[in-house]
């Protein structure tokens, strides 16, 4: 019988559906809104800590709850690239794992801009 008693600290993973993959957000989402919850899992059952990069979102380090920090405007920024990091705890003398994940968040349009004519003034004739 072989017993592997050497300590290991396997890296945590983001769980499907809590990994921000293929996620989209409407541009009129109110600042301060909870918009997503990151969900990680650690093979050894350690607590997971979360961060998210950039100016638009913040993540609660303990819960993974993502909040919108800044107004969105799809016409100016149609896609937001972020890096999510998840970190587990050290096990004995083995250090914690810090794992980055790159994601792109698509900003969806709301009809918030009125149509505008190019080359103003715009004139035309109508025959009666």
């Amino acid at each position: 019988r072989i017993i592997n008693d050497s300590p290991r600290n396997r890296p945590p993973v983001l769980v499907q559906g809590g990994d921000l993959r293929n996620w989209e957000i409407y541009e009129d989402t109110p600042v301060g809104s909870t918009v997503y919850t990151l969900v990680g899992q650690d093979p050894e059952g350690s607590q997971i800590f979360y961060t998210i990069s950039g100016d638009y979102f913040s993540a609660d380090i303990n819960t993974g709850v993502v909040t919108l920090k800044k107004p969105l405007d799809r016409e100016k920024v149609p896609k937001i690239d972020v890096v999510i990091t998840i970190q587990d705890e050290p096990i004995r003398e083995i250090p914690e794992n810090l794992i980055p994940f790159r994601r792109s968040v698509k900003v969806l349009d709301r009809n918030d801009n009125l149509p505008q004519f190019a080359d103003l003034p715009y004139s035309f004739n109508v025959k009666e």
Side-chain angles (χ1 to χ4, degrees):
R1 188 172 132 195
I2 299 173
I3 298 175
N4 184 357
D5 200 9
S6 64
R8 293 177 19 194
N9 190 3
R10 294 173 291 177
V13 296
L14 284 172
V15 175
Q16 185 177 3
D19 60 1
L20 215 68
R21 190 178 300 273
N22 300 319
W23 185 64
E24 302 170 331
I25 184 170
Y26 282 102
E27 67 179 338
D28 63 347
T29 301
V31 171
S33 297
T34 296
V35 294
Y36 197 86
T37 300
L38 299 167
V39 180
Q41 191 173 46
D42 183 67
E44 290 79 34
S46 295
Q47 182 175 353
I48 302 287
F49 303 101
Y50 304 89
T51 63
I52 190 168
S53 68
D55 297 330
Y56 289 94
F57 304 105
S58 65
D60 183 285
I61 194 165
N62 294 304
T63 64
V65 170
V66 177
T67 304
L68 182 63
K69 296 190 322 186
K70 185 176 174 181
L72 301 170
D73 186 347
R74 192 206 53 88
E75 288 75 20
K76 292 180 182 172
V77 181
K79 179 182 76 163
I80 302 167
D81 293 319
V82 298
V83 176
I84 302 162
T85 57
I86 58 173
Q87 178 180 330
D88 62 4
E89 298 175 302
I91 296 178
R92 297 183 214 155
E93 68 277 357
I94 300 175
E96 70 277 355
N97 293 292
L98 181 65
I99 310 298
F101 298 89
R102 292 186 179 280
R103 296 291 187 258
S104 290
V105 177
K106 183 177 179 182
V107 179
L108 301 175
D109 192 29
R110 289 288 196 199
N111 203 7
D112 61 337
N113 293 319
L114 297 174
Q116 295 181 358
F117 288 107
D119 303 324
L120 291 177
Y122 186 79
S123 63
F124 58 94
N125 294 318
V126 177
K127 292 185 179 185
E128 291 189 52

